[in-house]
Amino acid sequence: MTAIGMERRIAMGCDSALLDHIARPDAALAIWWRRMPEPFRTALARLDLRGLDDLSVEVDLHGSLKAPLRAAGYRGAAHALLCADMDRLVRRHAAVTGEDRLRVRLTVVEGDVPGVFQAERTTFGLTCTYVGPGIQWCCVDGPDAICEVPTGAVGVFKGRALLDPPVILHRSPAIGDPRLVLAIEPARRDDADRSKHALPKADHW
């Protein structure tokens, strides 16, 4: 991909408004390069990830993840700070995409083998790795140049429902210790009658 092509397809910056770039027809990836505050990073570092349940729920634009997070085992400062951040990212996703009902997963991911590069069959997928190395991505025409969405940064990938064939692919990195990964995407219309706590687990972030 040429430098001009990269500029059209991929946007990166330290302002959350940068995520709006993903709504452009030719955009494939937007990354908000943010650094989490020290109290947040400290609270996350103290979590016993293996003692937490995965969270998988549908929420609307004005909902809160306070109760689902508590049910998954989060307590204290980590619970409060994660709730505030995830609620903020749900609203940010809704503002960027125009979707008012979203599927939210907070998953403890383990594995020593990197995932397969792929693109999701969705419209827009937001991801943030709270603990551990971030999701890896590459251009379809440059698969050997592997990049990473840093820990704490927010990436929004355009899926195959809007951009097919894809120009950007992503995968989970190979890890030793568990990662804590947030994924937000529009709720599927056929999910309406499913339990809010029984959505399929995402293993690719």
Side-chain angles (χ1 to χ4, degrees), residues 160-177:
R160 289 179 180 271
L162 296 177
L163 191 62
D164 197 12
V167 295
I168 300 293
L169 304 175
H170 61 76
R171 72 177 182 185
S172 289
I175 55 173
D177 295 325

Side-chain angles (χ1 to χ4, degrees), residues 66-77:
K66 182 177 181 180
L69 278 168
R70 187 167 296 279
Y74 292 87
R75 300 288 185 271

Side-chain angles (χ1 to χ4, degrees), residues 84-159:
D85 194 63
M86 290 170 62
D87 285 349
R88 184 181 306 116
L89 292 179
V90 164
R91 293 192 294 271
R92 193 72 189 86
H93 190 294
V96 168
T97 66
E99 298 283 350
D100 60 3
R101 188 155 190 83
L102 300 165
R103 179 169 46 177
V104 180
R105 298 184 180 109
L106 184 65
T107 308
V108 176
V109 181
E110 300 181 77
D112 296 325
V113 179
V116 177
F117 278 113
Q118 62 179 309
E120 301 305 314
R121 295 187 180 281
T122 186
T123 53
F124 301 97
L126 180 150
T127 182
C128 175
T129 302
Y130 286 117
V131 178
I135 187 173
Q136 296 177 337
W137 62 272
C138 69
C139 298
V140 169
D141 58 0
D144 294 330
I146 299 173
C147 303
E148 180 180 303
V149 180
T151 305
V154 178
V156 180
F157 291 80
K158 185 172 289 180

Side-chain angles (χ1 to χ4, degrees), residues 30-59:
I31 302 176
W32 172 20
W33 293 76
R34 65 172 188 166
R35 181 174 174 80
M36 293 184 294
E38 182 61 34
F40 197 3
R41 287 185 283 132
T42 298
L44 292 172
R46 291 174 177 169
L47 287 172
D48 176 12
L49 295 183
R50 291 187 172 91
L52 299 169
D53 293 332
D54 289 342
L55 179 155
S56 185
V57 296
E58 285 186 21
V59 298

